[in-house]
Amino acid sequence: MWALPSSLSISTSYRQQTFIPRKTLILTTTNVGPYRCLPVSSPASDPASSSKVPVGNYPVPVVKKRRRYRKMYPGESKGITEEMRFVAMRLRSSLNVADGSDSSHLNEIDKSENEMWIPTIEGFLKYLVDSKVVFDTLEGIIDRSDDVSYAYFRKTGLERSECLSRDIEAFSEQGLIIPEPNSPGTCYAAYLKEKATSNVPCFLTHLYNIYFTHVTGGVHIGKQVSDKLFEGRELEFYKWEVDVMASLKDVREKLNKVGEHWSRDEKNRCLRETPKCFRLCAQIVRLIIL
């Protein structure tokens, strides 16, 4: 490196003898001397040299990779229950699920408009008994568990176990034979017990969907059965001492709050569990017409 006085000019012959041909010189200030000569390739001869040459101790700019964000699930911004709602809507719009059963518990309501929907007293008693097995298991787990997540869902006002006991006792006093629990109810209860210990988010998914389907679809089923079999008598199973929609909303908000602490993988398992909940509930509803 040469330090040249500012008044000194470099002749063409001297430049051609000293530097590589077809190179040009630029003069720049440095911390070493007043000027420094840098050979720069001609753009026409060397396309790679078209970028600016770093001068002094300035770092080469780093190009950051563009961050890619995950696409949100339908309803994810509002909470896990809204994601479940989208799953239920897709099930409702389809005719069948993979195993060939009805797409959801709500599809059982549609059968009430069909001539094949002919409920019987024996079948309805089976439905009440199996429903009691499920609600006894569900609410018993919530009341006895030490898991802090379950504490939010105690005394919600949606509990149905005691109401079912009163209805079954009333039918027994009328001389009707109360059947033993059937496979749909006992199998679902066993499945709930397994999920309660192995996967809390999935268990709470069943809890919310069971209450939701009973409040929305179950009431309509009960009215259809009552009009056909009991001259419009309203059963305890379909009565609440509180504002049922407000209580359901409260449970929904609590589940959304608890779901904020779940990983995306846990939420996905809950969404996969939602169709199973509807299918298991539908099996109990079908006891009415069997």
Side-chain angles (χ1 to χ4, degrees), residues 125-141 144 160-162 164-165 168 179-193 210 237 284 287:
L125 289 176
K126 292 179 181 178
Y127 167 69
L128 293 180
V129 169
D130 277 36
S131 296
K132 186 177 186 304
V133 172
V134 172
F135 279 101
D136 283 348
T137 303
L138 187 74
E139 294 163 9
I141 291 172
R144 295 188 296 267
R160 296 289 86 195
S161 182
E162 293 183 3
L164 282 164
S165 296
I168 293 174
E180 294 295 323
N182 293 272
S183 176
T186 55
C187 290
Y188 196 3
Y191 186 76
L192 289 174
K193 292 178 182 179
I210 288 173
F237 191 27
I284 297 177
L287 292 173

Side-chain angles (χ1 to χ4, degrees), residues 11-50:
S11 64
T12 304
S13 61
Y14 180 81
R15 176 172 57 82
Q16 291 176 348
Q17 293 175 5
T18 307
F19 298 95
I20 300 173
R22 301 187 68 179
K23 301 283 185 177
T24 59
L25 289 177
I26 62 172
L27 299 180
T28 179
T29 59
T30 66
N31 55 0
V32 178
Y35 294 95
R36 182 175 66 173
C37 298
L38 293 177
V40 179
S41 300
S42 173
S45 61
D46 188 3
S49 63
S50 59

Side-chain angles (χ1 to χ4, degrees), residues 87-130:
V87 173
M89 289 171 61
R90 288 196 295 268
L91 291 174
R92 180 64 185 256
S93 63
S94 63
L95 295 176
N96 296 296
V97 292
D99 62 355
S101 62
D102 292 313
S103 60
S104 72
H105 180 222
L106 299 179
N107 280 345
E108 296 299 327
I109 304 173
D110 296 337
K111 290 185 177 181
S112 63
E113 304 299 333
N114 193 293
E115 293 181 357
M116 297 301 295
W117 177 258
I118 305 177
T120 63
I121 294 179
E122 294 78 8
F124 188 68
L125 289 176
K126 292 179 181 178
Y127 167 69
L128 293 180
V129 169
D130 277 36

Side-chain angles (χ1 to χ4, degrees), residues 219-236:
V219 172
H220 186 71
I221 292 175
K223 186 177 185 305
Q224 294 288 332
V225 174
S226 179
D227 291 342
K228 290 180 179 294
L229 301 178
F230 308 116
E231 299 179 350
R233 169 189 168 190
E234 187 178 8
L235 301 179
E236 295 293 324

Side-chain angles (χ1 to χ4, degrees), residues 2 6 42 61-62 85 97 116 153 155 182 213 215 237 249 255 269 278 290:
W2 300 320
S6 58
S42 173
V62 178
R85 189 178 73 86
V97 292
M116 297 301 295
F153 304 97
K155 307 300 181 183
N182 293 272
T213 53
V215 170
F237 191 27
K249 179 182 178 182
L255 185 56
R269 283 199 292 268
F278 291 143
L290 295 179

